[in-house]
Structures are given as C-alpha cells and as structure tokens.
C-alpha cells in the first residue's frame, strides 16, 4: 500500500499550528528548516510539493505578546495578519538555503467555490510548481467571515490536493497518526496503520483539537482524507516530530496512518466531470479537432465551428462532432461570448480578439474527459 506514496509525483504537505509554533512558543525555525530541507530533497527528485502551513494566528499572538487566544474575529484577524508576515519570511529564508523560491498563496472558501477563481488559483499554483517554486498556502484569515471560512487548514489542504490533483496529502501533526480514540484522553488507544479513506468508522474514532492553539483536531483530518480521496489523493497523517517524516513517507515508509483513495486521480476526475456537473453549453468542433481530442490533446479555438449556450469561464461544456456526438467534456477557459469571438481563429490571435490571453487552449486536456 505504501508504494502509493512512493509513486506520488505531486504532493501537498500540511503542517498544523501546534508544530509550526512549537505549541504556541513562537515560530519553530528548526522545524521549518527541516521541512524545507525535506521538500527541497523531493524537488531534487523531480517531485512537486505545495505546503499548506497554519500558524499565522499563533505566531501573531506571540509577536503581539498575547497569551490567550482572543475570541473576537477582528483580533484573530489582526493576529493572523501580523503572524503571516513572520511565517512567510521564515519559510522564504529556510527554502532559500536550498536555492528555492517560495510564493505566498492566501485562499478563502469563496476562491475555490467560484469556478472562474478556481481555475485561476489552479493555473497559478500549477505554474508556480512548474517553475520550481514552493507555494506556501494558508487561509486568507484577514478577509474571511464565518460563511467563507475553511476554519481549519486540514480542509484547506484537501481542497488544494483536489485543486492541483495531487496524488498525496501528508498531514503532519502532534500525534503519531489516527488512534482508535483521542490518545490524550484514552491511554489504551492504538494507532491505525492504514485503511480506506471513505471508511466511515474512522469518523467515530476522531475527536476535536486537543490544544488551545489548533483548530481542527483529528475529525477534520479524517474529513480531509475523505475529500482528498474524491480526487484520487491518498492521505497520510503522521507526527511532525519524527525525524524526516516527509521524506520517509514519500519514500513509502509505513509511518503514521495511511488513508488511501480507492480510485486513481484520473478515474476520480472523470467521475466528477461525468456525474456532478451540468453541461452549460456545447462547442461544435471540426473533424481535425475530434481527432486531436481522441488522441488526448487539448481543444484549441481553431477547431471550434459553433458555440451553443451561454456560459462563463470555468463552466462544463460538451465538445461535439459536426454529427452531434459528444466526444469529450471539460472546463472551458473562456466565456461563451469570448468563445464565439475566437472560434476558428489561431491561438496567436486570441489576445487581439478579446483583449487578453488567459490560456492558449479553449479546454485544456487536464480539465477534459473523453466520452
Ligand atoms: N482518534 C484520535 N487520534 C489521534 N488524535 C486525536 C484523535 N482524536 C482527537 N485527537 C486530537 O487531535 C489533535 C491533533 O489535531 P490539532 O490539535 O488540530 O493539531 P494540528 O494543529 O496539527 O492540526 C491531537 O493532539 C489529539 O489530541
Ligand atoms: N489559518 C490559521 C490556521 C487555522 C488552524 O489553527 O489550523 P490547524 O492548526 O491546522 O488546526 C492560522 O494560520 O493561524
């Protein structure tokens, strides 16, 4: 089973507040250095890693000299804004020792729920990864309200894994993994080695957070594993205090708890596109484009002869042959009116025709499934 992790080319690593701030004692620079070293080693193997890091609020509280976590939203947001500065500064310094750049990405729930912003976040993140940059992701605490909050970064980690189609989500925390009960409360609890992420029995074992500085607890990690599995990602929950946990997990060592996905990323994505989304329109494509799509290529504007329906960027559209057969469906990079303007035109003309070039493809092959 652990070979699943060894084969993962794209990984999301999530580190919780307790680890990042050494239980609230301020940023644990040694821990940050160790994660940077391990992630740099994975990058050197050609693997891509995005880091979801908590700790802004805890670090901000420490900088401001607060010993008690405030309850008012505005104070929490102020602490997050102060702490996030120290957090990204420390990561940039730690990664620069390995010749790597970092990028700060702050997200809210709304960013991922809105299809067009979802696509933007996805292309920015995948571009950063392709450039060899390590994205450091956190919730945009300064602007969130209750309705648009992830609240805990386990959920954010899973959504990022969905977003960039990572094969693995590594959640590092202050316990060895998932136990049959909260080990802080039940000393007889035993560690679960591995199981299916979708297995509902784990929810009953998991409790809330055991510390005053963290938010999620084990229950949000189990739900994160379920969510990650929906896009085919396997989740490992392990102790961040073990030596080199990221490298050892990524090498397939049986550390912590593995909650594996039952489908591959491709199957999961196909299922998602096939089942969950209503078609917002049709792109009628010529025979050359049909052949290109059947051989796994992206759809370029030049192959589109007609655009049906009214849709926004990010909508799901069907690509149909001249005879009306659905050849593929996928997420479209331009709105219906933009598609009409660039249909039959070479990619080089997109910017002239609509004033900007978002992506050269109308539907990228990564966002498309054949029918
Ligand atoms: N079944 C369980 N197995 C392990 N830990 C559990 C379980 N149920 C609840 N917990 C608690 O979850 C805590 C880890 O989550 P959390 O405090 O949110 O840390 P993090 O900041 O790493 O997300 C543990 O310290 C533990 O007290
Ligand atoms: N965005 C918040 C993280 C929320 C939180 O505490 O998450 P976690 O430690 O993963 O349970 C911060 O940076 O402080």
């Amino acid at each position: 089973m652990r070979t699943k992790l060894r084969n993962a080319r794209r990984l999301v690593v999530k580190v919780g507040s307790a680890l990042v701030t050494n239980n609230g004692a301020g940023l644990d620079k040694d821990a940050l250095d160790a994660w940077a070293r391990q992630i740099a080693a994975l990058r050197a193997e050609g693997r891509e890693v995005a880091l979801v890091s908590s700790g802004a609020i805890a670090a901000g509280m420490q900088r401001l000299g607060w010993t008690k976590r405030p309850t008012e939203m505005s104070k929490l947001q102020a602490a997050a804004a102060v702490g996030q500065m120290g957090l990204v500064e420390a990561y940039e310094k730690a990664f620069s020792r390995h010749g790597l750049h970092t990028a700060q990405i702050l997200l809210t729930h709304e960013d991922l729920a809105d299809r067009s912003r979802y696509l933007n976040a996805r292309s920015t993140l995948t571009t950063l990864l392709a450039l060899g940059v390590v994205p450091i992701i956190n919730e945009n605490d300064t602007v969130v309200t209750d309705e648009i909050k992830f609240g805990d970064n386990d959920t954010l980690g899973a959504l990022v894994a969905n977003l960039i189609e990572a094969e693995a989500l590594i959640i590092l925390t202050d316990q060895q993994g998932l136990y049959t009960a909260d080990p802080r409360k039940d000393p007889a609890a035993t560690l679960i080695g591995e199981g299916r992420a979708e297995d509902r029995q784990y929810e009953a074992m998991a409790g809330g957070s055991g510390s005053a500085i963290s938010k999620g607890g084990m229950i949000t990690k189990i739900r994160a594993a379920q969510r990650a599995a929906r896009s085919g990602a396997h989740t490992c929950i392990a102790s961040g205090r073990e030596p080199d946990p990221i490298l050892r997990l990524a090498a397939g060592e049986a550390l912590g708890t593995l909650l594996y996905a039952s489908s591959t990323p491709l199957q999961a994505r196909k299922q998602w596109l096939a089942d969950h989304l209503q078609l917002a329109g049709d792109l009628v494509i010529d025979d050359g484009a049909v052949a290109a799509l059947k051989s796994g290529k992206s759809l370029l504007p030049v192959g589109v002869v007609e655009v049906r329906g009214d849709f926004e960027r990010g909508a799901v559209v069907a690509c149909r042959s001249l005879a009306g057969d659905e050849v593929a469906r996928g997420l479209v990079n331009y709105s219906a009116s933009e598609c009409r303007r660039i249909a039959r035109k070479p990619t080089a003309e997109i910017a002239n025709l609509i004033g900007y070039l978002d992506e050269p493809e109308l539907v990228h092959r990564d966002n498309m499934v054949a029918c």
Side-chain angles (χ1 to χ4, degrees):
M1 271 307 169
R2 297 291 179 138
T3 50
K4 290 179 188 301
L5 267 283
R6 199 166 67 216
N7 295 334
R9 307 310 304 161
R10 187 176 276 176
L11 303 93
V12 176
V13 176
K14 182 261 167 175
V15 286
S17 304
L19 287 180
V20 175
T21 62
N22 204 359
N23 289 324
L27 283 182
D28 186 343
K29 300 260 169 66
D30 292 342
L32 267 64
D33 284 345
W35 299 325
R37 175 178 47 74
Q38 294 172 67
I39 291 171
L42 291 183
R43 285 250 35 143
E45 290 174 13
R47 300 163 88 176
E48 296 179 330
V49 187
L51 180 64
V52 174
S53 176
S54 308
I57 295 176
M61 281 170 53
Q62 211 257 343
R63 280 193 164 191
L64 293 166
W66 299 349
T67 47
K68 219 174 138 259
R69 188 181 165 104
T71 45
E72 302 100 297
M73 189 77 155
S74 59
K75 288 215 170 118
L76 286 169
Q77 289 175 321
V82 172
Q84 183 67 23
M85 290 294 289
L87 203 57
V88 290
E89 203 185 332
Y91 278 119
E92 174 67 16
K93 208 176 268 170
F95 279 97
S96 70
R97 288 196 197 103
H98 304 279
L100 290 174
H101 288 299
T102 58
Q104 173 182 242
I105 307 272
L106 298 174
L107 293 171
T108 67
H109 205 277
E110 267 189 343
D111 297 327
L112 300 184
D114 177 278
R115 298 229 56 79
S116 148
R117 275 150 80 173
Y118 172 95
L119 279 184
N120 289 345
R122 179 188 149 82
S123 42
T124 306
L125 277 168
T126 51
T127 304
L128 287 168
L129 291 171
L131 290 169
V133 174
V134 181
I136 310 287
I137 305 160
N138 197 355
E139 180 155 23
N140 194 351
D141 290 304
T142 314
V143 298
V144 286
T145 56
D146 275 340
E147 297 76 55
I148 61 165
K149 199 156 56 173
F150 301 112
D152 66 89
N153 274 358
D154 300 317
T155 307
L156 177 58
L159 288 168
V160 170
N162 294 153
L163 183 70
I164 62 172
E165 280 140 55
E167 288 118 331
L169 168 63
I170 293 179
I171 299 182
L172 296 182
T173 183
D174 58 357
Q175 297 289 340
Q176 294 295 329
L178 169 69
Y179 283 78
T180 47
D182 187 345
R184 291 189 202 242
K185 296 183 184 140
D186 181 354
T190 54
L191 183 68
I192 307 277
E194 60 187 45
R196 275 181 56 239
E198 293 90 350
D199 193 334
R200 298 316 266 227
Q201 65 165 322
Y202 300 131
E203 278 173 66
M205 299 176 183
S209 173
S211 75
I213 48 166
S214 299
K215 255 334 268 295
M218 198 44 70
I219 186 71
T220 52
K221 294 173 183 41
I222 302 302
R223 299 222 172 98
Q226 292 167 355
R227 210 185 273 266
R230 277 187 228 142
S231 63
H234 310 295
T235 299
C236 267
I237 306 167
S239 167
R241 302 215 162 98
E242 286 285 315
D244 289 351
I246 302 173
L247 283 180
R248 287 161 66 195
L249 286 167
E253 193 176 321
L255 211 62
T257 305
L258 167 68
L259 296 175
Y260 55 85
S262 329
S263 55
T264 65
L266 187 65
Q267 286 166 336
R269 193 156 182 79
K270 275 190 180 178
Q271 199 59 41
W272 180 71
L273 276 170
D275 291 353
H276 290 285
L277 295 162
Q278 288 198 329
L279 287 178
D282 290 335
L283 301 175
V284 181
I285 59 176
D286 63 21
D287 294 345
V290 170
L293 263 49
K294 285 194 169 152
S295 65
K297 299 213 173 85
S298 300
L299 176 65
L300 300 176
V302 72
V304 176
V305 296
E306 192 191 337
V307 179
R308 295 183 190 142
D310 185 21
F311 49 82
E312 291 304 314
R313 166 173 155 80
V316 179
V317 295
C319 305
R320 294 189 190 278
S321 68
L322 296 169
D325 298 324
E326 188 176 334
V327 183
R329 64 174 59 182
L331 303 179
V332 67
N333 282 330
Y334 293 91
S335 70
S337 63
E338 289 168 340
C339 285
R340 288 192 177 95
R341 274 185 278 161
I342 60 179
R344 297 174 211 240
K345 300 290 191 314
T347 298
E349 285 182 27
I350 297 181
N352 273 343
L353 289 163
I354 59 171
Y356 71 100
L357 171 72
D358 218 328
E359 255 115 344
E361 308 84 11
L362 215 49
V363 182
H364 192 278
R365 61 194 168 95
D366 288 353
N367 294 326
M368 186 192 299
V369 289
C371 294

